[in-house]
Amino acid sequence: MQRLHIARIAAAGATAAAAVLATIFGCATGPTDDELNAKAAAVLRASFKEQGQAKLDRLTQDDTQKTCSQYSGSAVPKDAAERIEKANLASIKWPADGKYLGDWASGERIAQEGRGMQYSDDPKGAVGANCYACHRLSPQELSFGTIGPSLYQFGKLRGYTDEVRKYAYGKIYNAEAYSACTNMPRFGHSGILSEQQIRDVVALLMDPASPVNK
Amino acid sequence: MQNMRRKVLKAGGGMTLYALLIAAGWLKPGDAAAQAWNKGAFEAKSLDEALKGFGAASSAQSKDIAFVSTPDIAENGAVVPIGITSSIPRTEAIAILVEKNPNALAAIFEIPPGTEPAIGTRVKMAQTSNVYALVKADGRYYVAAKEIKVTLGGCGG
Amino acid sequence: MRIHRRGALPVLTLSLMLAAAAALGQGNAVDEIAKYRAALQDGNPAELWEARGADLWKQKRGPKNASLEQCDLGLGPAVVKGAYAQLPRYFSDADRVMDLETRIVWCMVKLQGFSEADAVKGPFGGPDRKSDMEAYVAYITSESRGTKMNVSLDHPKEREAYRLGEKMFHFRGGTHDFACATCHGEDAKRIRLQDLPNLTQTAGAQKAYTTWPAYRVSQGELRSFQWRLNDCFRQQRFPELIFTSDASIALTMFLARNANGALFDAPAIKR
Amino acid sequence: MKIRATVVGDSTEVRVLMSHEMETGQRKDAQGKVIPAWFIQNVVVAHNGKPVLNAQWGTAIAKNPFLSFKFKGGAKGDKIEITWVDNRGEKRTDETVVG
């Protein structure tokens, strides 16, 4: 029992620790970390059924998802982080007209909207970014989450420059380009928000008239 | 619906509670009321209408009515715990009204002699609103109010 | 009256919170919500499910016209008390690891003669249908209230389920790149105003796992742990988790084992 | 119904949970059709056959209603009987003994 308890603690720790354990004990402890990852992915695939707009292809990981799953709960190695950031930065589609700022009021609605892409959602219905689930933005909204940093006074603190506007656009479009294995979805890259919706959220952060900057 | 809400707001905000209750009534007394249901009062679309449905003559704000185990904020409006106690002698009935609900009157509890004038239940609230505890005691009417804020959170579920 | 359905993040929230902001800071709001939760503990409608489940458990049903009373939940036939606190576990008769719901399905097939397809029908209740499964779950879990969580990893298949569950917990996918760990991998985080337990740590896993199943006031339904996982994946933008699937059992194993040592305290009542 | 009646000092505390949808008549189903109101309208609680509480409810009482109150007197073994009637005319009576 005691021995198993120790094994459990190791398994419950970081994935890296589990990998170390597997290395030390070799075949004696069962599958290697890679084998375990492959088996987990296969079991997952067999354990879901498509429903509404959510098809089984959502379980097919791209390199970013796969690598970030592997290092979840531990630090991402520098080379992997650089690879992820480079690939995701290259995927960003910037607005053709170079305009990053939309309508902050529309951005506020998008930030409040939690629906979109769930199998229970109407595929033709509203799709939001649910920013408040994780971030503080407008000070009037007290019901905000803390998974991400506070974005209150985002533009005011950083300056209303074209450079910051572009950064905000890129970060919303594909957060993995700036911070590998961030918790934040890739709203543009994954087709969650349109170009105009991203501009509107940028305006919520960067328009001096936005409540975020009051 | 919107229209009605505005009307309720106006009634609630524009008049004092006391004025609202003046000429407002109470349920018709009747001892064989076991199966009676005050349709007029329950289906009334606003607080003052609901109060008129009771047919009471007048009422007064009272410090002898207390809300117990009743939170200031409800995490979910679908279930809001309400506890009301009355220390007014000869309390005969306690009613719960939620000002901004589509139908303001939530419940009437008739308290026979020997039953303590203290009840606990749970109501639904459509939005942040004043909740009124209306007490009938010795043929007179008393009221207390408490604002309960309704929040929603998480992923919207 | 508007009762909000799942998935909708109502715009209403802003105006309500604006009103609340006038009088209260957020700290107060959190304290008051704690009072709200405390007030709900007084009478938990989950008891209605527990009572229905206890009756159903003894009823003769199915093609074999048998009750589930002889079902072996791991502590031997007809032992219900404390069984849930040791689940999931390896069952030699089935040669696999099973969670409670999977084992109930097994017993419905073996003892009552239901087909597997019939046994897994209607796992979750809704507005127009009561779920017998959720009633069974309410009853069985209530019989472990106050029992210390004691999930074993003695059997190799139990260890494998645990390690697979851990991998799945960290598996990122879907349109939003979410994993369970996205929301439940760090301490002291919140989504909107809801506290998020860190399920990779003992304290967080204990607090969360020992308070499911729960009566969800937002839905007016008792919700099982299978439902909890199913609905988390819905919000993760994954496809639908299949009831009693291997992934659901592995994840349950990971979380239940992490909760070892804590006193089981459900069915609970939650927002 | 799930009824608990316990002697507390010189009173009896009654706590009851009822299984009922308490549909408001204000909600719509997935197809946009209004779900008709369906709710308990009257609740009568009797102690050894004598009424100790008589309630009228509207649609605003929460789903799976909860009710608690106390009455003077009462002793272990006394009978508590609770009846509800809803707006469809459905009726349910359950009883328990004071514990």
Side-chain angles (χ1 to χ4, degrees), chain B residues 28-121:
Chain B
K28 304 278 183 293
D31 290 352
Q35 301 305 317
W37 191 70
N38 192 329
K39 189 173 161 72
F42 277 105
E43 292 184 354
K45 297 287 181 202
S46 68
L47 184 66
D48 48 351
E49 256 188 79
L51 292 168
K52 273 180 195 144
F54 293 144
S58 68
S59 61
Q61 291 191 53
S62 172
K63 287 193 168 62
D64 296 322
I65 303 169
F67 286 91
V68 294
S69 302
T70 307
D72 293 351
I73 299 181
E75 193 173 18
N76 196 299
V79 179
V80 183
I82 306 277
I84 298 168
T85 63
S86 163
S87 50
I88 303 166
R90 287 185 288 279
T91 292
E92 299 156 36
I94 298 172
I96 303 170
L97 297 98
V98 183
E99 183 173 0
K100 290 188 192 169
N101 272 1
N103 304 109
L105 180 61
I108 304 166
F109 298 90
E110 292 169 54
I111 315 281
T115 294
E116 291 184 22
I119 54 98
T121 189

Side-chain angles (χ1 to χ4, degrees), chain A:
Chain A
M1 189 63 212
Q2 189 57 35
R3 181 178 57 79
L4 289 163
H5 185 62
I6 291 162
R8 201 239 347 142
I9 289 167
T15 311
V20 168
L21 189 80
T23 314
I24 294 168
F25 293 97
C27 296
T29 57
T32 66
D33 200 52
D34 280 349
E35 283 165 3
L36 215 53
N37 280 327
K39 176 142 194 200
V43 171
L44 271 174
R45 187 165 273 275
S47 295
F48 283 82
K49 60 184 174 196
E50 69 171 54
Q51 186 64 263
Q53 57 180 303
K55 311 295 181 198
L56 286 176
D57 61 7
R58 292 197 182 178
L59 297 172
T60 305
Q61 294 176 309
D62 67 6
D63 178 61
T64 301
Q65 290 173 333
K66 201 172 175 179
T67 309
C68 293
S69 300
Q70 192 183 341
Y71 297 112
S72 174
S74 61
V76 187
K78 205 165 163 247
D79 59 335
E82 279 170 6
R83 186 181 81 236
I84 286 168
E85 286 170 11
K86 199 175 154 210
N88 281 288
L89 189 63
S91 84
I92 297 178
K93 202 166 153 272
W94 302 99
D97 57 6
K99 289 198 169 70
Y100 304 110
L101 219 56
D103 168 16
W104 69 259
S106 163
E108 169 71 23
R109 284 192 294 275
I110 294 163
Q112 291 281 359
E113 177 63 65
R115 285 172 296 187
M117 318 301 269
Q118 299 170 118
Y119 60 70
S120 51
D121 293 329
D122 177 356
K124 297 189 202 88
V127 177
N130 209 6
C131 309
Y132 285 103
C134 300
H135 296 284
R136 181 179 188 216
L137 292 104
S138 303
Q140 289 86 342
E141 180 55 276
L142 291 180
S143 180
F144 60 82
T146 59
I147 297 169
S150 170
L151 303 175
Y152 175 52
Q153 297 194 328
F154 183 91
K156 195 176 182 179
L157 294 172
R158 289 167 180 79
Y160 302 111
T161 64
D162 208 45
E163 193 192 347
V164 180
R165 281 194 284 268
K166 185 178 179 184
Y167 164 74
Y169 186 94
K171 179 88 182 183
I172 297 163
Y173 191 98
N174 191 338
E176 295 285 349
Y178 303 85
S179 172
C181 301
T182 170
N183 285 325
M184 185 163 152
R186 296 172 282 178
F187 290 101
H189 176 78
S190 303
I192 302 161
L193 298 182
S194 68
E195 183 174 279
Q196 187 53 45
Q197 282 182 303
I198 298 176
R199 282 196 183 109
D200 291 345
V201 180
V202 171
L204 179 66
L205 298 171
M206 288 299 293
D207 191 324
S210 160
V212 168
N213 293 314
K214 295 297 171 195

Side-chain angles (χ1 to χ4, degrees), chain B residues 1-8 100-102 126-127, chain C residues 1-2, chain D residues 26:
Chain B
M1 181 103 168
Q2 275 309 321
N3 219 351
M4 185 272 294
R5 283 221 178 110
R6 261 198 296 281
K7 189 181 149 213
V8 178
K100 290 188 192 169
N101 272 1
Q127 55 178 311
Chain C
M1 192 171 310
R2 250 178 92 192
Chain D
Q26 310 268 349

Side-chain angles (χ1 to χ4, degrees), chain C residues 28-60:
Chain C
N28 273 335
V30 171
D31 288 349
E32 281 301 324
I33 284 172
K35 274 189 211 159
Y36 168 84
R37 290 174 188 161
L40 285 184
Q41 301 306 318
D42 204 28
N44 184 350
E47 290 181 25
L48 298 167
W49 274 256
E50 294 168 24
R52 195 164 70 87
D55 284 346
L56 280 174
W57 194 254
K58 296 178 194 94
Q59 263 176 37
K60 291 193 167 88

